[in-house]
Amino acid sequence: MEQNHKNKITFIFPTKNRANKALKFINKHLKLLKKVNPIFLIIVSNNYEKKFFVERFRDKKNIKIILQKKKGFMNACFESINYVKTKFCTFLYDDDELSPYSVEIFSKVFKENLVLGYGIVTSKVNYSKFLPISVKNLSFKKILLAY
């Protein structure tokens, strides 16, 4: 991985027994997030999954696969933090769906050291719910009101 991680974001991606679904998800989001040059930190629960991902992402410098040491979802989350080298990071799960406008938000985060969170809970993906966000006028105060 490159040494200059100032304007990069690591997506911590814990997965267990969903290798094929996770592969599709990661490939889709690598394309969506291309402009922010993301780093994916995939934390897997067993050697089979590690081998599966290593074989598929062998040539990707922005993907790191970690074998979880201690069982349990929260252990995976805690262990993964130790591998983050970027200034910014977030968790991303295989049932999440990032908005196509998320790249604009991440760019704003890089410029202003903004910390935020926002989500929509739904039973299935409905892209019409993703509305453009005017990042030009985005402020911390406005984001807090969005909750």
Side-chain angles (χ1 to χ4, degrees):
M1 283 189 279
E2 295 176 37
Q3 293 302 314
N4 182 5
H5 298 297
K6 182 181 177 192
N7 288 331
K8 287 191 176 198
I9 185 167
T10 298
F11 291 92
I12 301 169
F13 188 82
T15 186
K16 181 179 180 181
N17 301 328
R18 294 176 151 185
N20 286 319
K21 181 179 181 178
L23 178 66
K24 290 177 189 172
F25 179 90
I26 291 166
N27 282 326
K28 177 181 178 178
H29 283 83
L30 279 171
K31 289 177 188 169
L32 174 73
L33 298 165
K34 187 177 174 181
K35 288 183 180 176
V36 293
N37 199 11
I39 294 173
F40 270 80
L41 177 59
I42 305 168
I43 186 154
V44 297
S45 61
N46 60 60
N47 282 315
Y48 166 77
E49 289 176 327
K50 183 174 182 179
K51 183 179 177 190
F52 176 87
F53 287 113
V54 166
E55 287 174 359
R56 278 139 186 97
F57 294 122
R58 183 176 324 234
D59 298 327
K60 298 271 188 191
K61 292 184 187 326
N62 62 334
I63 296 182
K64 185 169 179 86
I65 297 97
I66 306 298
L67 179 62
Q68 184 176 343
K69 293 178 178 91
K70 196 172 177 185
K71 288 184 179 185
F73 173 76
M74 289 309 299
N75 287 325
C77 295
F78 293 136
E79 287 177 32
S80 63
I81 295 296
N82 296 318
Y83 295 95
V84 174
K85 304 278 189 246
T86 57
K87 185 174 180 180
F88 304 98
C89 71
T90 189
F91 288 89
L92 191 58
Y93 310 107
D94 61 12
D95 61 348
D96 289 344
E97 188 71 30
L98 287 179
S99 162
Y101 306 104
S102 61
V103 172
E104 293 175 46
I105 295 169
F106 292 129
S107 296
K108 180 83 170 179
V109 166
F110 296 157
K111 283 173 108 174
E112 298 182 15
N113 288 325
L114 187 65
V115 178
L116 60 101
Y118 185 81
I120 298 171
V121 177
T122 181
S123 60
K124 63 180 182 176
V125 175
N126 180 351
Y127 292 106
S128 65
K129 287 187 178 185
F130 289 129
L131 301 173
I133 296 172
S134 174
V135 293
K136 191 174 188 179
N137 299 318
L138 198 60
S139 72
F140 185 65
K141 196 176 214 178
K142 288 181 183 177
I143 290 170
L144 286 178
L145 295 175
Y147 284 99

